[in-house]
Amino acid sequence: MKKKMLSSLVGLAAVGLLVGCGNKSAETDSSVQRIGILQYMEHKSLDKAREGFIAELKDEGYEDGKNIKIDSLNSQGDQANLKSMSEKLVKEKSDVILTIATPAAISVATETTDIPIIFTAVTDAVSAGLVDSNEKPGKNITGTSDMVPIDKQTNLLLSIVPDAKTIGIIYNSSEENSVIQAKLAKEAIEKKGVKVKESTVTSTNDVQQVMTALAGEVDGVYIPTDNTLANTMETVGEIARNKKLPIVTGSAEDVKVGALATYGLDYEKLGRQTGKLAVKILKGEAKPADLAVDTPTDLDLVVNEDMAKALGIDPSTIK
Amino acid sequence: MDIIISSVSQGFLWSIMAIGVYLTYRILDVADLTAEASFPLGAAISASQIVSGTSPLIATIMGLGGGLLAGLVSGLLHTKLKIPALLAGILTMTGLYSVNLRIMGQANVSLLGKKTVMRLFNDLGMTNQIATLIVGVIASLIVILFLFLFFRTAIGLAIHATGDNNAMSEANGINTDNMKIIGYMISNGLIALSGALMAQSNGYADISMGIGTIVIGLASVIISEVLFKDVSFVKRLCLIILGSIIYRFIISFVLYLGVAPTDLKLFSAIILTICLSSPLIKNKLNRKKK
């Protein structure tokens, strides 16, 4: 028994020693600024936001390994890891921490009220309690929102099917961002005197069945920027193709795979906007409390021409 | 040093969940998957209560209460409807997903700037991590004290007996169904309590925070059993805390190694496998020496 205790203690100590050494070698001179990045999960849009952020810093003269050190973490959607990673970035005295997606932002904001935090891919920073207001954040945190102009997107859909009686909205009811967007989309469509039929899924397994049922009852479908639907967009696109059903989505990525069109936001550009905020803070020109939350500026009309032809729509008429 | 404080502070909070898992898994001898939903249930109840202005302590206790009810449901399904334990847990877990969403009203409830149990200590000038540590130590000590006293009562002893030998207990006039139900309730109550505290420490409750909790719980229990075999009940509970801390330490260690984010889960799995298989390897080495 004692032997066992001893051996496990020795093991622990050895690991501790290793970690201790690791930390020491990572500590460099103070001229190098540390940038921590915490991404909530692996996802095309979120990855692009991170890449855009790093590219913007580089363009502004902040390059990893030269005058900044970037520590990029990804919690893979695991809540327990999110906490450990937030603590790590805070303890390592990052000069700025970039958080990608709402849970990551809240997690880091819980750990520190001093270190400047920049978020991106957060839809509603006010309701998440991250900022006091979008104009005047007020705390150590600011960033960019990925809220898309939903009314612009729904108008696009209605212009494609001008005689539509009912429009379907499909999303995952357990994704907070989707719920917010679906509500806005519903309001925008009903304002135009068109009925809305909402369908929700809880996992990728439900999508095929729910979408098939919905497709039979509506004249067009709106899909918000929803992770579950994004991952099953090919299935959704196939059903739409068979039923000759136009789909407008919240994200441009989804259009490439299976939807018809959207006014989409480019996550890489959003990442670059986020990078600009970080540069101001790194240069000491501004504090997060006074930097207004930025919203996407560039929106591109994206049309899936292949899908348009399959639906019998002339791509050039979509605008 | 940071990595140790971080692991210890989180380990205490997770250990309450692990102790809950231990009660069904080892004492009652059933694998109860309700944990995956009672954990976020505790988080959902306490977070939504805190947001609506309830005092954090009461909100936490309400979270625990929710767990007791979840355990009651699984217990009834298992004992009265004779549904196998694994399925009963899955049924409750599935149903609770919708319930949790209803309670929160959305997928993620933020507690930033709200009065949480941790915040009470933050206000005394402590960092979130130290506050988590203090809350974790206090809560887990209360839990162990309660279980120590409870399992010395007639009901506690009967629960023990039921898990050890169901037929014999029944023959001795113990209502084993009721004992199982009580066991389920306490187990899930503790798991929900852990969820409630975890949400307050993390700063949010999230619908998906239950995923993988059963693995974390079992890992903590098994690590403690690998390190120390055959110990008394109270010592076992204390050692589960140690197991839970070691598990967090392993995960933190993997993080600090700086592995690529995509490889994180693989590394965690490998290191855990090494831990879990160590008794077997030790045995083989010992035999060779002899």
Side-chain angles (χ1 to χ4, degrees):
Chain A
M1 181 71 142
K2 276 210 171 130
K3 244 187 195 170
K4 248 186 212 167
M5 250 179 90
L6 201 68
S7 67
S8 38
L9 279 178
V10 169
L12 267 182
V15 173
L17 209 64
L18 265 173
V19 175
C21 294
N23 273 352
K24 240 171 229 159
S25 61
E27 267 166 36
T28 39
D29 59 311
S30 55
S31 68
V32 173
Q33 292 187 291
R34 305 181 75 105
I35 315 261
I37 299 180
L38 181 56
Q39 185 173 333
Y40 177 52
M41 62 196 295
E42 206 81 30
H43 187 292
K44 207 178 244 173
S45 303
L46 302 185
D47 291 346
K48 286 220 161 136
R50 187 190 66 237
E51 286 158 16
F53 177 85
I54 295 171
E56 180 66 29
L57 287 188
K58 198 173 172 189
D59 289 354
E60 292 284 337
Y62 290 93
E63 200 173 334
D64 189 22
K66 284 187 180 165
N67 50 355
I68 56 168
K69 186 178 180 306
I70 295 178
D71 189 2
S72 189
L73 301 173
N74 185 325
S75 71
Q76 308 280 356
D78 186 324
Q79 318 281 331
N81 286 348
L82 201 57
K83 168 96 177 155
S84 302
M85 290 174 170
S86 307
E87 284 181 358
K88 179 173 188 265
L89 293 177
V90 169
K91 284 284 171 183
E92 285 179 347
K93 308 238 178 308
S94 305
D95 291 287
V96 171
I97 300 176
L98 170 71
T99 58
I100 307 175
T102 311
I106 297 176
S107 183
V108 176
T110 308
E111 293 305 320
T112 178
T113 47
D114 313 318
I115 298 173
I117 306 168
I118 313 260
F119 58 78
T120 187
V122 167
T123 302
D124 190 345
V126 178
S127 80
L130 291 168
V131 296
D132 298 338
S133 78
N134 283 328
E135 295 72 32
K136 202 112 180 80
K139 285 176 266 188
N140 61 323
I141 179 162
T142 187
T144 54
S145 156
D146 64 354
M147 180 62 104
V148 288
I150 287 171
D151 51 345
K152 219 174 157 189
Q153 293 179 340
T154 53
N155 285 346
L156 175 70
L157 177 60
L158 291 174
S159 78
I160 296 168
V161 278
D163 304 326
K165 291 196 173 60
T166 315
I167 294 290
I169 303 177
I170 181 170
Y171 61 100
N172 183 344
S173 52
S174 60
E175 286 185 34
E176 196 193 346
N177 286 350
S178 311
V179 176
I180 297 172
Q181 293 173 60
K183 187 169 160 264
L184 292 172
K186 187 174 182 226
E187 285 167 6
I189 295 168
E190 284 179 342
K191 212 184 263 175
K192 299 269 175 178
V194 178
K195 266 194 268 176
V196 170
K197 177 156 177 55
E198 278 184 277
S199 283
T200 59
V201 298
T202 51
S203 79
T204 50
N205 297 331
D206 306 340
V207 172
Q208 167 110 34
Q209 214 172 2
V210 173
M211 182 63 197
T212 308
L214 183 69
E217 300 174 40
V218 296
D219 309 303
V221 173
Y222 178 75
I223 303 178
T225 53
D226 179 291
N227 292 311
T228 311
L229 267 303
N231 288 334
T232 48
M233 198 49 76
E234 279 166 9
T235 313
V236 172
E238 206 43 50
I239 297 167
R241 202 181 284 265
N242 292 336
K243 298 259 179 180
K244 302 249 180 268
L245 193 68
I247 299 178
V248 168
T249 52
S251 127
E253 295 297 328
D254 299 343
V255 174
K256 289 171 197 155
V257 194
L260 176 63
T262 192
Y263 283 105
L265 87 100
D266 183 331
Y267 274 89
E268 195 184 338
K269 284 183 188 161
L270 188 71
R272 282 185 172 272
Q273 277 179 268
T274 319
K276 287 198 173 74
L277 293 174
V279 167
K280 280 186 190 155
I281 290 164
L282 285 172
K283 284 185 174 157
E285 291 172 0
K287 287 201 159 56
D290 311 316
L291 275 176
V293 173
D294 219 350
T295 47
T297 45
D298 291 318
L299 291 163
D300 308 317
L301 173 65
V302 196
V303 178
N304 184 334
E305 301 206 348
D306 178 49
M307 180 60 86
K309 273 174 208 149
L311 299 182
I313 298 171
D314 179 3
S316 64
T317 61
I318 297 174
K319 53 190 171 225
Chain B
M1 197 58 202
D2 295 336
I3 184 173
I4 294 170
I5 296 175
S6 161
S7 309
V8 172
S9 67
Q10 286 193 56
F12 270 99
L13 284 194
W14 281 112
S15 73
I16 298 172
M17 193 272 301
I19 288 172
V21 169
Y22 173 76
L23 291 184
T24 41
Y25 182 62
R26 283 292 190 230
I27 303 289
L28 280 184
D29 204 23
V30 289
D32 178 25
L33 284 175
T34 318
E36 301 253 324
S38 50
F39 186 78
L41 174 68
I45 293 176
S46 65
S48 50
Q49 282 301 318
I50 287 171
V51 168
S52 65
T54 312
S55 106
L57 219 53
I58 292 172
T60 307
I61 292 168
M62 288 172 75
L64 184 147
L68 292 175
L69 288 179
L72 177 66
V73 173
S74 280
L76 287 175
L77 290 179
H78 177 47
T79 57
K80 302 297 179 197
L81 299 185
K82 305 287 175 217
I83 298 172
L86 207 61
L87 276 176
I90 291 174
L91 288 177
T92 316
M93 176 176 95
T94 309
L96 276 182
Y97 189 88
S98 298
V99 174
N100 289 344
L101 264 180
R102 276 273 174 221
I103 291 170
M104 294 202 286
Q106 57 206 43
N108 186 300
V109 173
S110 169
L111 289 172
L112 274 181
K114 297 283 186 302
K115 264 218 161 335
T116 62
V117 176
M118 317 292 157
R119 192 62 186 271
L120 302 176
F121 292 93
N122 284 155
D123 291 346
L124 298 174
M126 295 172 199
T127 64
N128 186 47
Q129 206 169 67
I130 300 299
T132 301
L133 179 63
I134 292 174
V135 172
V137 170
I138 295 174
S140 51
L141 287 184
I142 293 175
V143 165
I144 290 179
L145 184 69
F146 164 76
L147 291 177
F148 169 67
L149 295 173
F150 177 77
F151 276 95
R152 300 178 89 186
T153 63
I155 295 177
L157 290 170
I159 292 177
H160 247 302
T162 304
D164 287 343
N165 191 330
N166 201 25
M168 179 82 110
S169 310
E170 236 165 78
N172 278 306
I174 294 175
N175 186 334
T176 52
D177 277 3
N178 283 353
M179 293 309 126
K180 278 187 190 161
I181 293 172
I182 294 172
Y184 263 103
M185 288 177 71
I186 297 177
S187 161
N188 283 292
L190 293 181
I191 293 166
L193 171 65
S194 173
L197 293 174
M198 198 63 72
Q200 296 177 52
S201 165
N202 287 355
Y204 61 86
D206 192 283
I207 189 69
S208 63
M209 71 193 287
I211 298 171
T213 45
I214 194 94
V215 176
I216 297 174
L218 286 179
S220 308
V221 170
I222 291 169
I223 289 173
S224 112
E225 288 178 350
V226 164
L227 292 178
F228 304 90
K229 274 184 196 151
D230 307 327
V231 295
S232 68
F233 182 65
V234 172
K235 267 193 195 152
R236 173 56 67 211
L237 297 185
C238 297
L239 288 172
I240 290 175
I241 298 181
L242 182 67
S244 168
I245 291 171
I246 293 175
Y247 178 79
R248 295 275 33 121
F249 186 82
I250 292 168
I251 299 294
S252 304
F253 178 59
V254 174
L255 288 180
Y256 275 74
L257 279 180
V259 296
T262 37
D263 301 336
L264 181 64
K265 294 241 173 193
L266 179 63
F267 268 76
S268 311
I270 291 173
I271 294 187
L272 253 182
T273 309
I274 295 172
C275 289
L276 298 183
S277 60
S278 65
L280 185 78
I281 297 166
K282 258 188 209 161
N283 273 346
K284 289 215 163 146
L285 286 179
N286 282 345
R287 222 174 284 157
K288 265 184 198 162
K289 269 183 210 159
K290 278 171 195 165

